[in-house]
Amino acid sequence: MTPFDYEYLQKILKDRSGLMLSADKKYLLESRLLPLARDAGLAGISDLVVKMKGGSEPMIASVVEAMTTNETFFFRDKTPFDHFKDTVLPELIKARGGKRSLRIWCAAGSTGQEPYSLAMILKDMGAALNGWRLEIVATDISPEVLEKSRAGLYTQFEVQRGLPITALVKHFVQAGTMWQLNADIRALVQFRQFNLLQDFAPLGKFDIIFCRNVLIYFDQPTKSDVFNRLAKVSEPDGYLFLGAAKTVVGLTDKYRVCPNRRGVYLPNDARAAPSIVPGMASGAKLTSARAGK
């Protein structure tokens, strides 16, 4: 692969998906694209680039898919799911008692483990959510991973990564050598092909947005743009969950840190009700610093 090939691939990946490959990521590109080139009967990545430059949209789509498919597993990093279950859900159940509905967006949902983890938590809430309209929208740029997600079929290795044995017994059935999520869990999640560079408005408003482990691949201006557009589809008293290594600080003033909840953020909206910090009296006022302060 020549430097010109690498430069071309950097540009097309940035333009098509927002993925920003730095100069030291040549090894990553080679590891993912060499098998793709060989499967297409090509000698190497340079031949792949020639085909892409020739206008082969299927090849371009395959390259973007190969580079944007990321590893995931059930209840990844655990802490965000604890926050979701122990504090965020109870607060929103109280706040949404009138309309009895919750909408959640998992951006870059990959092969489905994140949205299905949330669905299992919702199902385990039992009577607290009886009669509620619950909707999890999981989006990803890759049609291939969305197909896998909809099936809800996972290998023994995949269900052993992060999934408690109690959840496996309760929410899965064995299907040959695979494990499949029960229909009631799968029914809670809608999977849609979607690019984070697209307009978010058609997706509607959300009470909770999970956007974890995807923005690390974007450059700073793209991150800021995504945060600003996420804020437009966040309910004023909604929540944004990011990966543990990410922050909105210095990137946007549309969100502020949620105290005592690592990786959780609140919209900076004057209409939003003050959140309750765990351990704080319910009548106490919370003063939150604005992002970047």
Side-chain angles (χ1 to χ4, degrees):
M1 177 172 55
T2 69
F4 296 108
D5 291 338
Y6 191 69
E7 184 179 331
Y8 169 79
L9 289 165
Q10 282 180 305
K11 184 178 187 307
I12 203 159
L13 287 167
K14 171 74 164 55
D15 292 345
R16 293 295 185 101
S17 70
L19 178 66
M20 190 70 183
L21 285 179
S22 57
D24 61 346
K25 290 294 189 291
K26 185 177 178 181
Y27 73 94
L28 177 63
L29 194 146
E30 288 179 335
S31 68
R32 295 198 178 188
L33 296 191
L34 273 173
L36 183 65
R38 288 166 183 158
D39 287 346
L42 302 172
I45 293 178
S46 289
D47 290 339
L48 194 71
V49 168
V50 169
K51 196 162 185 177
M52 292 168 70
K53 286 181 175 179
S56 175
E57 280 297 325
M59 185 58 72
I60 292 172
S62 295
V63 166
V64 172
E65 182 163 311
M67 293 304 301
T68 54
T69 300
N70 300 305
E71 182 185 53
T72 185
F73 48 90
F74 290 102
F75 298 99
R76 184 176 181 178
D77 302 329
K78 191 176 182 297
T79 298
F81 297 97
D82 289 341
H83 289 322
F84 175 77
K85 177 182 66 175
D86 298 333
T87 60
V88 169
L89 265 184
E91 288 176 13
L92 284 177
I93 288 172
K94 184 176 180 181
R96 302 290 187 272
K99 65 177 186 177
R100 296 169 69 82
S101 71
L102 281 175
R103 293 194 81 227
I104 300 168
W105 178 19
C106 287
S110 192
T111 45
Q113 284 94 324
E114 178 178 85
Y116 283 138
S117 295
L118 299 175
M120 285 185 270
I121 292 172
L122 291 178
K123 200 68 178 177
D124 289 342
M125 295 293 289
L129 289 173
N130 279 351
W132 282 59
R133 181 178 177 272
L134 304 173
E135 183 182 2
I136 301 172
V137 178
T139 63
D140 200 274
I141 195 173
S142 167
E144 183 178 318
V145 301
L146 289 171
E147 185 177 347
K148 174 179 171 62
S149 299
R150 290 188 185 99
L153 273 168
Y154 297 94
T155 65
Q156 183 70 38
F157 174 72
E158 287 171 322
V159 297
Q160 286 176 332
R161 300 189 71 198
L163 186 70
I165 187 65
T166 51
L168 179 64
V169 171
K170 186 175 183 179
H171 297 300
F172 287 77
V173 293
Q174 196 155 12
T177 60
M178 307 282 282
W179 291 87
Q180 185 169 37
L181 276 151
N182 295 336
D184 59 346
I185 298 296
R186 285 183 279 130
L188 287 173
V189 186
Q190 299 177 27
F191 291 97
R192 303 184 194 175
Q193 186 179 5
F194 192 79
N195 189 324
L196 290 180
L197 300 183
Q198 294 174 232
D199 180 16
F200 297 164
L203 296 175
K205 291 275 191 174
F206 294 94
D207 302 294
I208 300 169
I209 298 174
F210 273 67
C211 189
R212 305 169 62 235
N213 307 306
V214 60
L215 297 183
I216 55 173
Y217 302 106
F218 292 0
D219 62 15
Q220 299 294 82
T222 306
K223 289 176 189 174
S224 295
D225 177 58
V226 169
F227 284 135
N228 291 337
R229 290 185 292 117
L230 286 174
K232 292 180 181 179
V233 295
S234 295
E235 291 290 356
D237 58 345
Y239 294 84
L240 171 66
F241 284 74
L242 299 179
K246 296 311 303 173
T247 179
V248 301
V249 177
L251 292 170
T252 181
D253 62 357
K254 302 297 184 183
Y255 285 97
R256 65 188 187 276
V257 174
C258 186
N260 296 350
R261 300 177 198 173
R262 180 173 60 87
V264 185
Y265 298 85
L266 301 164
N268 261 328
D269 192 305
R271 296 170 295 166
S275 293
I276 303 299
V277 176
M280 182 182 258
S282 61
K285 298 270 187 172
L286 172 66
T287 303
S288 298
R290 293 180 65 85
K293 297 283 183 165

